[in-house]
Amino acid sequence: MNNTMNKIEGLINAPFTPFDNKGKINLDPIESYQKLLINNGLKGVFINGSSGEGYLLTDEERMILAEKWVEVSPSDFKVIVHVGSTCIQSSKKLANHAQEIGAWGIGSMAPPFPKINRVEELVKYCEEIAAEAPQLPFYFYHIPAFNGVYLSMVEFLNAVDGRIPNFAGIKYTYESLYEYNQCRLLKNKKFDMLHGQDETILPCLAMGGAQGGIGGTTNYNGRVLSQIIESWKAGEIEEARELQNFAQEVINVICRYRGNIVGGKRIMKLIGLDLGGNRTPFQNITDEEERLMKKELEDIHFFERCNQF
């Protein structure tokens, strides 16, 4: 297994899935999309996850998207493929496919159904998936708000250690900075703990250990979020605080428009990359909502600071 020991530095983006006006996968914007992300400091992508509406895609669509992202990405741009599914056979197939096409890594959240209630159930789930791509690092995607799996991640890491050879770490998308840090410190800082909440990058840096993260608002605000890390490294603490507070202002806006998956995806259109709408059951932004959201973003001077081509 080639990549497990290489901890990710910098921010990885969780991209949206482009759809055409008939709701079908649209591969055409992906090359421009990839260039936009690189131009704004992003180090890779975590595709087919929650931002990408992965659970609303067929296995074939997910594989086509993975192939396209690998095709357009330079070798130093990490393509991590989310392969989680309510069907373990699908997850295995997607994991194997990701390895075959040359993806950098794979990851999986716990399935939303059936709900996983025990650490051993979660370890077994990850173990079966990771075994299908033994040459790639495997990341568990901890997002309990999505699937109700509020298990201890410290217990999970202790249970998984030594059992999954290519286990790399966790994409940690949860509010407990205490638990995040305890996971980071575990076993002499063995695991790659990728911070997953764009609204709290700075406190994780302040605890001394966050090196990398995976974000959703990085799609359109990655330039600012990357600058938080750079300002922290340079000792510019007040600047880092201002940047983090601005990032929270942007998040406050999208929360009024059904969050990142719906509102955030429409922001991509506003900055010049139309990725289409969302799949059912998501309720798409109306033209009036788009106008109001744009005005709110203008009021905080978002368009002067957002991702640029």
Side-chain angles (χ1 to χ4, degrees), residues 25-245:
I25 294 284
N26 179 16
L27 300 178
D28 292 344
I30 290 179
E31 187 166 6
S32 296
Y33 199 171
Q34 196 274 337
K35 290 176 181 175
L36 171 71
L37 297 174
I38 282 188
N39 195 47
N40 290 280
L42 283 306
K43 307 302 182 185
V45 284
F46 185 70
I47 68 169
N48 297 341
S50 50
S51 295
E53 303 173 68
Y55 278 91
L56 305 181
L57 306 175
T58 68
D59 291 352
E60 289 71 25
E61 287 174 326
R62 293 170 73 169
M63 289 189 287
I64 288 167
L65 281 163
E67 289 166 10
K68 186 64 176 180
W69 276 104
V70 169
E71 175 193 324
V72 302
S73 298
S75 59
D76 60 346
F77 188 81
K78 296 176 174 63
V79 178
I80 306 172
V81 183
H82 174 256
V83 299
S85 172
T86 54
C87 173
I88 193 69
Q89 295 304 113
S90 288
S91 292
K92 290 178 177 182
K93 176 172 67 175
L94 294 168
N96 183 262
H97 175 262
Q99 180 170 286
E100 286 183 348
I101 65 173
W104 186 87
I106 60 169
S108 178
M109 65 179 83
F113 175 84
K115 181 182 174 182
I116 287 178
N117 292 302
R118 296 170 56 243
V119 167
E120 174 58 26
E121 292 170 353
L122 183 57
V123 174
K124 182 63 176 173
Y125 177 77
C126 294
E127 186 176 36
E128 287 195 24
I129 296 171
E132 293 298 317
Q135 297 303 311
L136 302 185
F138 174 88
Y139 287 86
F140 174 61
Y141 179 6
H142 183 50
I143 183 167
F146 185 92
N147 48 35
V149 181
Y150 291 92
L151 295 172
S152 165
M153 287 296 99
V154 173
E155 289 181 23
F156 170 70
L157 287 175
N158 277 315
V160 84
D161 188 35
R163 187 160 158 184
I164 301 176
N166 54 330
F167 185 88
I170 297 175
K171 177 193 175 186
Y172 190 92
T173 307
Y174 185 49
E175 289 77 15
S176 178
L177 300 186
Y178 167 65
E179 184 185 53
Y180 170 84
N181 200 46
Q182 290 299 293
C183 290
R184 185 187 66 80
L185 294 170
L186 195 67
K187 298 186 183 289
N188 197 28
K189 305 178 183 177
K190 177 176 182 176
F191 300 104
D192 194 5
M193 292 298 299
L194 299 174
H195 181 257
Q197 289 198 306
D198 299 342
E199 53 269 49
T200 54
I201 291 173
L202 185 55
C204 284
L205 290 169
M207 285 190 292
Q211 292 187 119
I214 301 178
T217 67
T218 44
N219 279 286
Y220 40 86
N221 203 33
R223 191 160 65 144
V224 165
L225 294 165
S226 295
Q227 286 171 350
I228 294 172
I229 298 173
E230 295 310 310
S231 296
W232 172 263
K233 286 179 179 177
E236 301 291 342
I237 308 306
E238 286 305 318
E239 181 178 281
R241 285 176 179 154
E242 189 279 327
L243 291 162
Q244 182 70 84
N245 289 337

